């Protein structure tokens, strides 16, 4: 059976096992949010669209990054749990970039900085300063809209996507857990070992 068939069966089971309509709707909503992730696993990573700027990195495509293991970290400056991921992502990038790891901090214009409404140029400057202040060594990719974010199912933040050397999505996870950093490192090491 394919993973998507199993997913479909679980969805039907949820519909049968939760008689309370409100609870069933909540469980189905949470379950359906993962549907896009399941569909993407094992597929070629979609290219970025509507990108406005790269901070401290040259504009690249995922096609141009073939041969590297790529970690996409979807985040925002107002996302508290995103901050928890920064130290681990920085350490992992510094440790493995010579072995072929690329980490890209994926964010978009939200029209705010420090809770205040700002123009795009002001927000871009804020993001440049944020990168320095937080000592984040990997490039930021700033999207004009949420199109790329939605394509990857990154509707909750943080969301991490790991792409192998052939450009295939091998891992997607939203949120944080105490073991998130170790899990990501284990997957990255495994994918770096694949030549």
């Amino acid at each position: 059976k394919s993973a998507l068939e199993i997913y479909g069966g679980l969805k039907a089971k949820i519909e049968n096992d939760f008689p309370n309509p409100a609870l069933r709707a909540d469980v189905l909503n949470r379950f359906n949010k993962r549907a896009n992730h399941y569909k993407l696993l094992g597929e070629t990573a979609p290219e970025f669209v509507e990108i406005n700027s790269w901070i401290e990195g040259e504009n690249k495509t995922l096609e141009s990054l073939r041969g590297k293991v790529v970690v996409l970290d979807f985040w925002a400056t107002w996302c508290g749990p995103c901050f928890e991921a920064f130290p681990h992502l920085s350490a992992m990038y510094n440790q493995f970039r010579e072995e072929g790891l690329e980490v890209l901090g994926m964010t978009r214009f939200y029209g705010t900085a420090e809770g205040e409404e700002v123009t795009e140029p002001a927000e871009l400057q804020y993001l440049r300063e944020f990168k320095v202040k937080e000592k984040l060594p990997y490039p930021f990719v700033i999207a004009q809209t949420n199109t790329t974010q939605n394509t990857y199912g990154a509707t909750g933040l943080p969301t991490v996507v790991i792409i192998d050397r052939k450009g295939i999505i091998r891992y997607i996870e939203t949120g944080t857990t105490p073991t998130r950093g170790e899990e990501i490192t284990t997957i990255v090491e495994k994918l770096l070992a694949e030549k």
Side-chain angles (χ1 to χ4, degrees), residues 55 73-84 86 105-116 118 122-134 136 140 142 149 157-158:
I55 298 177
D73 177 48
F74 289 90
W75 66 281
T77 59
W78 46 261
C79 166
C82 296
F83 282 71
E84 296 172 23
F86 291 155
M106 307 291 295
T107 193
R108 66 179 177 89
F109 287 118
Y110 287 95
T112 63
E114 307 261 335
E116 301 288 326
V118 293
E123 188 172 2
L124 189 58
Q125 182 58 34
Y126 172 71
L127 289 167
R128 283 189 179 102
E129 293 167 3
F130 180 90
K131 186 177 185 314
V132 172
K133 178 182 160 200
E134 296 298 324
L136 300 173
F140 285 3
I142 317 302
Q149 189 176 338
L157 299 176

Side-chain angles (χ1 to χ4, degrees), residues 68-70 99 162-165 168-171 184-195:
K68 293 185 176 237
V69 172
V70 180
E99 295 177 43
I162 304 177
I163 303 165
D164 70 15
R165 293 182 188 271
I168 305 299
I169 297 173
R170 301 283 290 272
Y171 177 90
I184 291 170
T185 299
T186 299
I187 291 163
V188 164
E189 286 179 312
K190 176 185 168 202
L191 296 180
L192 286 171
E194 294 177 2
K195 297 295 179 183

Side-chain angles (χ1 to χ4, degrees), residues 136-153:
L136 300 173
Y138 48 85
F140 285 3
V141 182
I142 317 302
Q144 190 69 42
T145 68
N146 63 353
T147 302
T148 294
Q149 189 176 338
N150 288 339
T151 298
Y152 281 92

